Each structure stands twice: as C-alpha cells, then as structure tokens.
Amino acid sequence: MHRTIALLFGILLAASSGPARAGGPAGSASLLKIPWNVTEHRLSNGMRALLLPDRRAPVIVFEVWYGAGSREELPGKTGLAHMVEHMMFRGTKKYGPKEFSNLVKRNGGRHNAFTSFDYTAYYEEIASDRLELVIKLEADRMVNLVLTKEQFEPERKVILEERRMRTDDRPTGVLFEQLRAAAFHAHTYGNPIIGWETDIRSYTLEDMRAFYKRYYRPSNAIAVIVGDFEIEEAIRLLDKHFGAIPAAPFAGRPDIREPSQQAERRIIVRRQAQLPYVAMAFHTPNFKDEDAPALSMLETILGGGETSRLYQRLVRKDALSLGAGADYTYISVDPALFYLYSQVAPGKKTEDVERVIQEEVDLIVRKGVSQEELTRALRSLEAQTVFSMDSHYFRASLLGRSTIASNWRLLEDYLPALARVKSEDIVRVAKKYFVPKNRTTAVLFPLKDKKGKRAARAAKKGKTAKSGGR
C-alpha cells in the first residue's frame, strides 16, 4: 500500500470511529475530503487539458476524451460511435494498421479505448519519459484517420460478433438492453452502445466518416494526464502536437430530453437460460442534482454488499445474486437510470422477488433508515473511493468522465456531500423516484433445453450467495 493511501485510510478510520449522534447526518463523525490538485489548460484551438501530477512512480496515464457517445447517434445509425472507436486503431496517413499499438507496446506501455452513452475515450499507460510519444500518436489520429472500405467491412463483422457474444447470446444482456429500450421513449440512452444489429449491418462508410469529422475535433476533446510529469513540459507538448491542429467550428452536442414517465412499464423476455431474472429501472437525476448524494447512499443501503437490506432479505431465501446501481454512478450528461436487479433462485418465483424489492423500498419510505445504516454506507463509499484513488487510471477516468458530463470540480464535494446525507434525505428521494409510475420492470423467463435443466438442478443443489453489479 502506498504511503499516501495508507495515510488517507488512517484518516478515514479515525474520522469514522466512535459513536455517531442519533438522527444526525451520516458523516457527523467523518472528516474525509480528498484534494484534487488539478491544473487546467486550454489550447488555442479550444481543446481542454486537465493535469494532475503524482510522483510516486515513474509512469503516466494519458487519456483523450471526446464528447461523442451513442447519445449523439441519429435514428437508424446506432453503433457509429463504437465503430469509430474500433477504426481509430486501423491506421492513419502517417502510421499504418497496427503501428499505433506496436509503438506503444515496444515502449513498454499498454493502451485501450472504450465507448459509452456520453463519450468515447482513449488511453495509454506508459513510462513517464514516453509522454511525448503518446501525445503525438493521439494528436495524429484525431485528424488523420484513414477510413477505407477495405478496413471498414472486416471491422463491421468484428462488431457483429462482439454483439452476438456480449448481448444476443447472453440472456441477461438481452434483458437489460430491452429494459433500457422500454424505459426511454425519446432519449438516445435507450439505444445500446454497440448498436442495434440492423443498424450495424446498414450504416455506411460515409456515415462513419461524417460522425468522425463532426465530433473528432479539438473543441470537443479533453486531454487528461495523471502521473509523474512536469506541468510546464506537459503543456508544451500538448501545444506542440494538439495545438498544431487548426480550430474548427463545433455546433455542440445535441440537447435531448426524456419526458417524465407517466405509467409503469413492463416487459417479458424469454430466452434459453438457467434461471429467471428480475430487473427494475427508475428514472433518476445525474450527479449535478442535489438528490444525487442521497441516491448514492440509498444504492449502498439497498444493494451494496452482504449487509445491505436486499441481500439480507433475498439472497438468503429467494435469490442467488442481487445488485443495485445507477448508470455510471450518476456521472452522465443527462438524467439516466437507477437499477435494482436479482437472479431468482431455483424453485422460487419472480413475483416474490419483485414483492420483496418493493417492500424494502416502501419500508424505507415509511420508516427511514437507521443512523447505523447511514454510517456503514458512508464508510463503505469512503473506503471504495480512497482505495480507488491509488490508481492513476481511475483518477484520470473520473476527471475525464465528470468533465465531459459537466465539471470535474463537482468531484471535490463528493465525499462531503455523502457525509451530509440524513435519513430524511433518503426518505425524500425514495418517495420521489421509487414510485410505480416511474418504474420499468423486465423479467427473464427461461426457455430451458436439457442442458439448462441440468444446470438449474446443479445450481439448486449447490446454491451459492453473492452480491454485486451486472
């Protein structure tokens, strides 16, 4: 354990020890606040940079974030953001196919990329004296990507196979995809990030070129550097490579709004599967809203580990697993979803699991939560945050995600805001959002073949309980 994290965790334990005042805020004994000593820099072409030095090891994480996720896709063109991410590794005018990856690997680094509803991000983790290399490579593919039919068609097949493996052949993958589609009627958050299969098969090379040209530009990008580097040198390198890219007008990201849900929605999914599954989704605000801290605490109280309410009620009786969670812990451009979900144990009924979930929510509305639950939830979230901060990658990603969604400075008040949550705040958000008209429920009913029946019998004999996310 690094000394800095050990020190922070020591503060956490000291701050959380001792009796808390009954009826007071969850953090009445908590003093923890993690500093974000970030330097901001804006290039002449509009690109932003966030710089966070950390001298503990001679490595850096470099990330480039684009405000271009599945949120930006037009009807019939879903999956384009993810497709462009794949093509970003297919070569530029200067570096041919695989040269980007080979250069990073030959210099002892690793790299990858990911697409979400709100963004596409690319990262490299490498020795700190190789910072200019990765800055140069990322700046090059921001504007010089080569998009040809010869590269495009094979990648389309790769993505169709990826979709088959991750969604179509996974019953719970289909369940959650259908749940989102039912929960959102107007917002593009209802589309899968990878895209609908019919769209993947039909969008064209020109569609992809247009998406790349519109969103891959300095004024829609954020660079994040965390690790062992000098701020002045990093700024010089960013200005040298990214600053050389001409500024280009950017119309901005689309304004998309989902109308309030007025009635409960329900879908049934039937797939070959071992066991039934229940998932509920509620529309909730993102991390910019004053209700977000209370929702984070409620998430932990309901489904955050073995001491959570739903674990105690369900896993010991009617379920093999359960979870509670929100889209990207509320860090999203627009309001998204809060999930409660559970795999139903062999021989148990889905309606019983649904009933228990709703009973626990109703109980919170009627009676609130205890001071002990608030303190335990706060300690859990503080510990998770503190230990995660030991990772350059985690901190860089938090900075990138929060800046794409709004403003990274909101992170500074994250733990203090959790510590201010009271029982009445939990009751307020439960009463406000966890109501039937705001709920979409999806239930998976297995269509069992012989193999599925054998697996279900085996699961019943050796039932194991576990809790966690999807």
Side-chain angles (χ1 to χ4, degrees):
M1 181 186 293
H2 290 298
R3 180 179 179 275
T4 302
I5 294 302
L7 176 61
L8 283 171
F9 194 59
I11 294 172
L12 167 63
L13 292 177
S16 298
S17 63
R21 294 191 300 272
S28 58
S30 177
L31 304 173
L32 186 62
K33 183 173 183 178
I34 295 176
W36 288 86
N37 300 316
V38 175
T39 296
E40 298 184 58
H41 175 64
R42 186 175 287 272
L43 284 66
S44 59
N45 55 18
M47 185 174 179
R48 291 175 290 170
L50 304 176
L51 312 173
L52 179 58
D54 185 332
R55 311 289 186 189
R56 290 175 296 164
V59 296
I60 56 98
V61 169
F62 178 65
E63 298 182 349
V64 179
W65 294 71
Y66 295 92
S70 61
R71 179 186 179 278
E72 275 61 50
E73 294 163 351
L74 298 173
K77 309 296 182 184
T78 63
L80 275 176
H82 180 249
M83 182 61 157
V84 172
E85 176 215 314
H86 275 238
M87 295 301 293
M88 286 283 277
F89 295 92
R90 286 289 192 166
T92 66
K93 298 173 184 177
K94 185 175 182 180
Y95 301 100
K98 299 185 179 180
E99 282 192 57
F100 184 108
S101 297
N102 290 337
L103 278 168
V104 173
K105 291 176 182 178
R106 283 203 302 269
N107 282 273
R110 67 184 187 94
H111 69 94
N112 213 326
F114 43 91
T115 305
S116 182
F117 298 108
D118 295 312
Y119 53 75
T120 307
Y122 303 84
Y123 74 88
E124 292 80 38
E125 186 172 11
I126 203 164
S128 51
D129 62 354
R130 300 295 191 272
L131 176 60
E132 183 169 15
L133 171 67
V134 293
I135 289 178
K136 178 175 64 175
L137 289 171
E138 288 291 1
D140 175 64
R141 67 177 176 178
M142 176 183 278
V143 289
N144 294 319
L145 190 62
V146 173
L147 299 172
T148 65
K149 188 172 183 178
E150 290 73 23
Q151 300 280 10
F152 173 68
E153 291 302 336
E155 205 62 44
R156 192 203 303 268
K157 294 179 181 178
V158 169
I159 290 176
L160 284 168
E161 179 64 13
E162 182 181 338
R163 180 185 162 83
R164 184 189 66 77
M165 293 176 61
R166 292 187 177 184
T167 302
D168 299 332
D169 287 353
R170 293 179 63 242
T172 54
V174 174
L175 182 79
F176 278 99
E177 182 177 83
Q178 293 298 317
L179 177 63
R180 291 192 67 88
F184 289 103
H185 283 183
H187 203 290
T188 47
Y189 282 168
N191 295 323
I193 295 168
I194 198 169
W196 299 107
E197 181 182 350
T198 52
D199 291 350
I200 297 171
R201 293 186 182 278
S202 64
Y203 57 60
T204 66
L205 182 63
E206 287 308 313
D207 292 328
M208 187 176 57
R209 283 176 176 158
F211 191 91
Y212 172 72
K213 185 176 181 180
R214 176 172 181 177
Y215 291 106
Y216 280 67
R217 55 185 60 202
S219 53
N220 191 40
I222 299 163
V224 182
I225 309 176
V226 176
D228 182 27
F229 66 94
E230 297 290 340
I231 291 175
E232 295 79 7
E233 177 65 5
I235 290 175
R236 185 187 71 81
L237 294 174
L238 289 167
D239 286 340
K240 175 182 176 182
H241 296 287
F242 281 101
I245 300 172
F250 179 54
R253 307 184 73 174
D255 182 15
I256 313 171
R257 303 188 185 188
E258 177 72 17
S260 297
Q261 186 169 322
Q262 299 301 316
E264 182 177 6
R265 299 167 188 167
R266 188 175 186 86
I267 62 170
I268 302 298
V269 175
R270 300 184 187 277
R271 286 287 189 280
Q272 286 193 353
Q274 296 180 17
L275 296 167
Y277 204 98
V278 174
M280 299 177 180
F282 302 83
H283 292 276
T284 51
N286 54 19
F287 78 140
K288 294 174 280 189
D289 193 272
E290 63 180 6
D291 288 341
L295 285 165
S296 291
M297 293 284 280
L298 178 57
E299 176 186 332
T300 301
I301 290 168
L302 278 174
E306 295 184 12
T307 60
S308 68
R309 290 192 175 203
L310 289 176
Y311 188 100
Q312 294 295 319
R313 281 289 307 275
L314 282 174
V315 174
R316 298 180 182 277
K317 290 184 177 181
D318 299 320
L320 290 181
S321 66
L322 67 91
D327 285 329
Y328 305 100
T329 317
Y330 310 99
I331 299 181
S332 58
V333 171
D334 299 313
L337 298 176
F338 184 114
Y339 300 95
L340 295 170
Y341 46 93
S342 178
Q343 185 174 58
V344 182
K348 301 298 181 178
K349 297 179 179 180
T350 58
E351 53 264 37
D352 291 337
V353 171
E354 287 188 60
R355 175 181 50 79
V356 169
I357 291 174
Q358 193 58 52
E359 283 177 356
E360 286 302 318
V361 172
D362 294 342
L363 187 62
I364 286 174
V365 170
R366 292 198 312 271
K367 297 186 176 181
V369 297
S370 68
Q371 184 59 42
E372 179 184 356
E373 284 181 292
L374 285 170
T375 302
R376 185 167 59 236
L378 178 63
R379 286 175 176 172
S380 174
L381 289 168
E382 284 179 330
Q384 292 171 30
T385 302
V386 167
F387 282 119
S388 297
M389 289 298 166
D390 200 27
S391 164
H392 289 358
Y393 172 79
F394 179 83
R395 282 181 291 166
S397 296
L398 263 185
L399 286 170
R401 283 169 51 197
S402 56
T403 304
I404 283 287
S406 176
N407 189 331
W408 69 267
R409 292 189 179 276
L410 290 171
L411 297 173
E412 295 180 319
D413 194 47
Y414 172 65
L415 291 179
L418 294 179
R420 293 192 294 268
V421 174
K422 302 178 183 179
S423 177
E424 50 262 43
D425 298 316
I426 301 290
V427 172
R428 185 188 74 254
V429 298
K431 187 183 297 186
K432 184 176 181 180
Y433 301 109
F434 291 74
V435 293
K437 73 173 186 177
N438 191 40
R439 180 176 64 216
T440 302
T441 302
V443 181
L444 169 67
F445 288 112
L447 297 174
K448 294 175 184 172
D449 55 13
K450 293 182 179 179
K451 182 179 179 181
K453 292 178 180 178
R454 288 196 300 270
R457 286 197 296 269
K460 188 173 183 179
K461 289 181 180 180
K463 179 180 177 182
T464 57
K466 57 183 178 179
S467 176
R470 284 177 288 154

